[in-house]
C-alpha cells in the first residue's frame, strides 16, 4: 500500500498509478496499447455510455452500427481524410489462408464506412435531418507511447454522423451537440473549454472543428471530444444528395460529434487525488459501499444491519456494494477510497444499536444518517458530493489558465496560456514553438475568468484580427 | 407492395424478403456479409442484449471487454482450436505503412484473447469461480453464401467465459447457463432443443459441446447458441492455475456460453409469417404503434387523442411509436405489420368521441380498449399476444420433428429426424450422408413429444448403446 506519486509534481506517474489502483483496466494484455476492461472498469464505461445515450437521444439521434471493416477503395475517396489517417490505420490483408482482393481498413473513425450508405438513405428533403450515432470501438496504430484511456490502439468511441439540408442547419446541429455535451459534462462534473481549432489542426476533411478540451495540470490539455462541420466536403465525393422541395438536387451538409474513452481518463485525471480515483456519482461503478465494522460484543448486528442498508439502497435504485469480505475495516476503507466510491457507509456496534450509519464521502466529509428512513439522506449526500466535486474541479480549472503577454513568457509554461493572436498561421506556429506545444485555437464561449480586451498579436504586433487564443501542450 | 414469397415452399426467399421488409438491416454495404444495423434493427438488438444481460448477470456474471486483436502467437497455443479456425480468420498484417512484427487475428471468438489474462487473474481458490461475459463483435471470413443475421462476417456476439475449481463445478456452470438460456428463450418466445454434439462436431478444443438448436422448416436447423465444457483443455496451454485450500496447484476447469445475432434471425424466421416480421414484445423496437385515422368531420380529435394515448403509454414505460406521417392509414397498417409491431392502436372519430381505441395485435386479434385507464389493458393485450405467439411457435416446433425407422427414410426429409443411433462415428456419418446434412447429436432433455423406447441403430442394427439422436440440415 505504497503512497501514490505526487499529482502536482509527477502527474503522469500519478495518473498511471491511479489507473492501476482504481482497478478499471488491465494493461497486461500481450499487445501494448490494447487493454482489458475489467468488471469495475466496464461498469464505469456502461454508466458513461448511458449518459451519452440519454443526452444524444434527447436530441432525436438514433443508434445504428456500421461495419468495422472498410474497403480501401471507399477509405481513399476523401483526399484530406485519407492523408490524415493512412499512417495510423490497421490493414486487414488476408482472409483465411489467402490475400484479400481489396484490403480492408479497421475503422479509425467511420466517415468512410457510413457515407456510401448515407448516399442510399438520403433521397429527398423529407429524409432530412438524418441524425444517427454509434458506440463502437475504433482502431489506431499508435506509434507514440500508449497510456490507458488517453492513447490506446483500440478505442471505445461514440460518434454521431448527421446530414442536414444546408449549412445553416448543420451549424444548428453543431449547437445542439454543444448543448448535449454541456449536459453530459455536468454528469461527469468536468469543466471544459470548447475551442475552435486553427485551420492546420482541424479534422482531416472538416470545414471547421470544435474541440472539447480539458486542462490537466501544468500546461497540458486533453482533447476529450470534438464536433465538426463538414459542409459538403464528404457529401461531394460520396454523392450524398437530396431533391429539395423545389425539385433541385442538392448536396447535404454534414456534421459529426465524437467522444471517447478519454472521458474516463479525464474523470480519473481531473477528480483523482492523493487517495486515488474519485468517480462522480453518475459514473461510479458503485455509488455507495457499505462496510460492517465487527466488534467483540456486537454479535452479527453490524453485518445484519449493513446487509439491510445495502438492500434498501439497492431497492431505491442505487448501485451498492456490501463489503462483507474478511479484510479488516481499515483495508476496506483504503481500497474503496483508491477505487473512488462516492459514499461509504459504516455500520458498527453503536450504529446498529441506534439504527444509524456513519457516512463518509470520498471528499472526506462525515455525517451520521438515520436508517429510518435512509434513502433520501443518501440521495442528498450524493448530490452534495457531486456539487463539491464539481466545485473542486472548477477551482482547479480556473487556476489552470493564465495570460501570456509576450513570446518570452511561453517557454516552460505551467498553465495553459491565453495569448493575443492575429489569426495568421505563421504567427500561430511561432507561438507553438515557444510553448513547445500547440496553438489550441480560439474559445467558442466567454471564458470563465475575467480577461482584458485583447491587445496586439504576440508575434507580429498587429491588432487587426487579433483575438484571444489558447496555447498548451496536448497529451 | 408485392406479396412475400411463400414461407413454406420458398423459405430462404421468404426469409430474405422479410429481413428486407422488416427494416432491420441494410445489405448494401460495399463488402458482402458486412451489413448495417439500421435504427430499427439496432433497437431490436438493444432489447435482445438487455434480456441476455439481465439473465446472465442474475447468475453472478460480470461484464468485461477484451481486445479484438489477438497476436498470432497466442492464437496458436491450443492446437485443436487453431485448426478449427485458421481457415476463417481475418489477419491484420500491416500497421500504418509498415508490416507488423507479429500479425494479429481479428477475434473469431475470444478464448485466446482472454485466457492469457485469466492466467494472471486466477491465483487462489478464493478467485473462483470467475464468471465474466462480454458482448462484442467477432469476425469470420465466411466463404459460403452470407445471409443477414444467419451467416455474416462481422457477428454481434455474446460470450461468457468462466473458470471453475473442478470438473463438477464446471458442469454446474453449464447447468446454470442452460437455465439462463431457458429464461431468455421465454422472452424470445422461441422453443429450442439443447443437443449434445457428436465428438466430431464439437467446438474446437472443447471436452463437450451443447448446441441450442431451432428447427426452421423442412429439415433445416439453426444453431443459435452453444455451451461448452472445456475441462482443462485450455487451462493447460494457457497456464490457468490456482492454489487450492490445501496448498496444491490445480488447473481450472472452464466453460463458455455463446449466443449471437442469429437469435434475431431465429426470431424473424420462426415468428414471421406471410404478413412480414413478428417481434415478441421483449424484443420489439416498438411494442405499440398508435395510428390516428383522420375523418372529414372529426377535426384534429383523432390526432389529439392518439398523441395522448402514445404519451400515456410512454409514461407507463412502453416503447411507443405515434405514426403521424401523412401516409394513408392502410399503408401504415401494412408497414407496421411488415415490421412486426406487436400491437396497433387506432384512433378514429368514433374512438376519439368514446374515449376508446381499436386494438389489433400482430396475430390479427381485435378488441376495443377504454382509454381511461388504458395502461393495464395494453399490458394484458401484450401478455396475451406473447402467449399466443409462443404457442404458435410451439405448435410449429412439435410438427418439425418426426421419427425415421430406416436409412431409406432419410433422403429428402422434410422434418428434422429422430433416429436410433449406437453412438459410433461411422454410423453417424452414414446417417449424415443419407439425410444430406448432419447428425446434430443427442438431446439433453426429454423431447416435447411422445417417443417409443429407442430400438436398434439405424445403420448397424446394434441395440447396445443405442439412443435417440437428431439428424437435420443445419443452415
Amino acid at each position: 500500500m505504497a503512497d501514490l506519486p505526487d499529482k502536482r509534481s509527477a502527474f503522469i506517474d500519478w495518473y498511471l498509478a491511479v489507473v492501476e489502483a482504481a482497478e478499471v483496466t488491465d494493461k497486461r494484455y500481450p499487445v501494448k496499447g490494447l487493454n482489458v476492461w475489467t468488471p469495475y472498469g466496464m461498469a464505469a464505461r456502461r454508466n458513461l455510455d448511458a449518459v451519452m445515450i440519454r443526452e444524444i437521444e434527447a436530441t432525436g439521434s438514433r443508434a445504428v452500427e456500421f461495419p468495422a471493416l472498410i474497403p480501401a477503395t471507399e477509405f481513399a475517396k476523401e483526399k484530406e481524410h485519407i492523408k490524415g489517417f493512412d499512417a495510423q490505420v490497421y490493414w486487414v490483408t488476408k482472409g483465411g489462408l489467402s490475400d484479400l482482393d481489396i484490403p480492408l481498413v479497421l475503422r479509425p473513425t467511420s466517415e468512410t464506412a457510413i457515407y456510401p450508405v448515407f448516399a442510399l438513405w438520403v433521397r429527398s428533403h423529407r429524409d432530412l435531418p438524418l441524425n444517427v450515432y454509434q458506440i463502437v470501438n475504433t482502431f489506431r496504430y499508435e506509434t507514440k507511447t500508449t497510456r490507458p484511456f488517453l492513447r490506446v490502439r483500440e478505442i471505445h468511441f461514440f460518434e454521431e454522423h448527421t446530414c442536414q439540408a444546408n449549412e445553416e442547419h448543420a451549424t444548428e446541429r453543431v449547437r445542439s451537440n454543444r448543448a448535449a455535451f454541456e449536459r453530459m459534462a455536468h454528469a461527469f462534473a468536468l469543466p471544459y473549454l470548447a475551442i475552435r481549432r486553427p485551420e492546420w489542426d482541424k479534422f482531416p476533411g472538416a470545414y471547421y472543428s470544435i474541440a472539447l478540451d480539458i486542462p490537466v495540470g501544468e500546461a497540458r490539455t486533453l482533447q476529450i471530444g470534438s464536433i465538426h462541420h463538414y459542409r459538403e466536403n464528404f457529401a461531394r465525393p460520396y454523392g450524398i444528395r437530396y431533391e429539395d422541395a423545389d425539385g433541385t438536387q442538392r448536396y447535404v451538409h454534414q456534421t459529426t460529434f465524437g467522444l471517447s474513452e478519454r472521458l474516463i481518463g479525464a474523470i480519473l485525471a481531473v477528480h483523482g487525488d492523493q487517495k486515488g480515483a474519485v468517480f462522480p456519482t453518475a459514473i461510479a461503478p458503485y455509488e455507495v459501499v457499505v462496510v460492517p465494522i465487527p466488534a467483540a460484543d456486537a454479535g452479527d448486528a453490524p453485518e445484519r444491519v449493513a446487509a439491510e442498508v445495502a438492500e434498501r439502497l439497492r431497492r431505491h435504485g442505487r448501485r451498492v456494494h456490501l463489503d462483507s469480505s474478511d479484510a479488516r475495516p481499515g483495508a476496506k476503507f483504503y481500497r474503496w477510497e483508491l477505487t473512488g466510491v462516492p459514499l461509504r457507509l459504516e455500520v458498527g456496534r453503536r450504529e446498529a444499536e441506534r439504527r444509524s450509519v456513519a457516512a463518509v464521502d470520498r471528499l472526506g466529509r462525515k455525517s451520521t444518517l438515520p436508517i429510518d428512513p435512509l434513502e433520501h439522506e443518501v440521495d442528498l449526500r450524493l448530490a452534495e458530493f457531486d456539487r463539491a466535486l464539481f466545485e473542486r474541479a472548477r477551482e482547479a480549472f480556473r487556476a489552470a489558465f493564465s495570460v501570456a503577454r509576450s513570446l518570452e513568457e511561453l517557454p516552460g509554461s505551467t498553465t495553459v496560456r491565453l495569448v493575443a493572436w492575429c489569426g495568421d498561421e505563421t504567427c500561430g506556429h511561432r507561438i507553438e514553438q515557444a510553448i513547445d506545444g500547440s496553438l489550441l485555437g480560439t474559445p467558442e464561449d466567454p471564458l470563465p475568468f475575467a480577461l482584458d480586451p485583447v491587445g496586439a498579436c504576440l508575434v507580429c504586433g498587429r491588432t487587426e484580427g487579433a483575438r484571444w487564443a489558447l496555447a498548451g501542450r496536448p497529451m
Side-chain angles (χ1 to χ4, degrees), chain A:
Chain A
M1 299 200 187
D3 281 348
L4 294 170
D6 184 59
K7 184 178 181 182
R8 280 188 71 95
S9 62
F11 174 74
I12 296 292
D13 295 338
W14 169 87
Y15 176 78
L16 295 174
V18 161
V19 166
E20 192 84 19
E23 304 177 15
V24 284
T25 191
D26 195 317
K27 292 186 297 183
R28 294 172 294 172
Y29 189 75
V31 183
K32 195 171 61 92
L34 296 178
N35 301 331
V36 175
W37 294 85
T38 61
Y40 196 71
M42 269 303 280
R45 176 177 129 178
R46 191 190 286 186
N47 297 334
L48 184 88
D49 287 354
V51 170
M52 299 194 295
I53 291 169
R54 182 185 72 207
E55 296 304 340
I56 202 68
E57 295 199 347
T59 71
S61 205
R62 299 179 73 192
V64 292
E65 194 178 294
F66 282 73
L69 296 169
I70 305 169
T73 42
E74 293 297 335
F75 188 65
K77 270 190 185 162
E78 207 291 326
K79 292 203 170 43
E80 291 301 317
H81 190 71
I82 168 94
K83 243 200 301 182
F85 280 105
D86 72 349
Q88 50 173 323
V89 292
Y90 281 105
W91 289 95
V92 179
T93 58
K94 274 179 69 180
L97 307 170
S98 48
D99 289 341
L100 297 175
D101 292 341
I102 299 175
L104 301 166
V105 166
L106 257 178
R107 66 174 158 237
T109 172
S110 300
E111 282 74 7
T112 60
I114 295 179
Y115 299 169
V117 178
F118 272 6
L120 303 168
W121 287 3
V122 175
R123 291 266 163 247
S124 141
H125 61 97
R126 277 183 298 269
D127 300 325
L128 300 177
L130 174 63
N131 301 329
V132 298
Y133 75 94
Q134 61 182 13
I135 296 179
V136 296
N137 289 1
T138 59
F139 299 83
R140 306 226 176 144
Y141 181 65
E142 284 290 349
T143 47
K144 296 187 201 163
T145 307
T146 58
R147 309 252 186 238
F149 308 117
L150 303 184
R151 189 179 296 119
V152 290
R153 289 172 158 186
E154 179 172 5
I155 308 159
H156 185 64
F157 197 57
F158 161 97
E159 49 181 331
E160 185 189 52
H161 294 263
T162 88
C163 296
Q164 312 292 334
N166 53 43
E167 180 171 341
E168 199 171 78
H169 287 196
T171 303
E172 190 43 53
R173 188 68 197 164
V174 167
R175 268 190 221 113
S176 162
N177 286 159
R178 292 221 29 220
F181 186 74
E182 176 70 17
R183 295 190 300 273
M184 295 178 198
H186 265 85
F188 311 146
L190 283 181
Y192 68 97
L193 279 183
I195 301 178
R196 189 177 295 226
R197 286 280 184 261
E199 278 298 305
W200 63 89
D201 196 24
K202 65 188 189 184
F203 183 79
Y207 162 46
Y208 66 78
S209 293
I210 296 174
L212 308 166
D213 279 350
I214 285 182
V216 284
E218 302 295 310
R220 285 177 295 256
T221 59
L222 207 51
Q223 177 179 323
I224 41 89
S226 53
I227 301 169
H228 309 290
H229 192 310
Y230 291 163
R231 258 187 182 168
E232 303 173 350
N233 293 353
F234 285 89
R236 286 180 181 270
Y238 288 93
I240 313 176
R241 260 181 309 214
Y242 68 98
E243 186 174 291
D244 208 346
D246 65 7
T248 335
Q249 288 285 322
R250 295 184 196 283
Y251 285 104
V252 299
H253 283 246
Q254 293 186 270
T255 69
T256 58
F257 175 19
L259 297 169
S260 79
E261 64 178 85
R262 276 199 158 194
L263 276 167
I264 300 263
I267 287 167
L268 292 167
V270 169
H271 298 311
D273 56 26
Q274 292 309 127
K275 287 179 171 179
V278 186
F279 281 108
T281 303
I283 308 305
Y286 304 128
E287 298 166 302
V288 179
V289 60
V290 185
V291 180
I293 317 280
D297 52 352
D300 67 348
E303 282 79 5
R304 222 174 351 96
V305 174
E308 179 199 337
V309 163
E311 185 53 29
R312 277 176 66 159
L313 294 175
R314 272 189 205 119
R315 285 176 192 277
H316 186 53
R318 290 295 180 184
R319 298 183 295 275
V320 180
H321 182 69
L322 171 65
D323 188 350
S324 45
S325 70
D326 52 11
R328 289 181 320 149
K332 294 180 184 181
F333 298 171
Y334 180 82
R335 179 180 181 199
W336 301 118
E337 280 175 357
L338 267 181
T339 53
V341 178
L343 190 64
R344 180 174 82 230
L345 303 180
E346 306 166 12
V347 183
R349 184 174 59 90
R350 208 171 63 160
E351 286 80 17
E353 279 170 13
R354 298 187 187 174
R355 304 261 321 143
S356 67
V357 297
V360 188
D361 77 12
R362 182 56 183 75
L363 298 174
R365 291 155 344 147
K366 296 176 185 183
S367 50
T368 301
L369 311 180
I371 291 182
D372 310 296
L374 181 64
E375 289 82 350
H376 293 103
E377 292 293 336
V378 164
D379 292 348
L380 184 63
R381 288 305 169 281
L382 287 170
E384 281 180 354
F385 164 77
D386 282 335
R387 180 175 60 180
L389 187 68
F390 203 6
E391 193 42 47
R392 180 168 89 167
R394 272 198 294 226
E395 268 170 40
F397 181 78
R398 286 186 291 261
F401 301 91
S402 68
V403 170
R405 305 251 165 231
S406 73
L407 275 182
E408 289 66 43
E409 291 175 42
L410 291 177
S413 282
T414 56
T415 52
V416 176
R417 307 309 292 263
L418 284 146
V419 294
W421 172 52
C422 64
D424 199 82
E425 182 163 351
T426 322
C427 292
H429 291 318
R430 287 285 300 281
I431 293 167
E432 295 188 327
Q433 281 161 16
I435 200 167
D436 190 20
S438 291
L439 187 87
L440 302 168
T442 51
E444 283 283 295
D445 301 306
L447 295 168
F449 29 75
L451 268 182
D452 298 335
V454 69
C457 174
L458 216 61
V459 184
C460 66
R462 276 181 295 182
T463 52
E464 200 192 319
R467 78 282 316 252
W468 285 115
L470 292 135
R473 287 191 284 269
M475 289 193 71

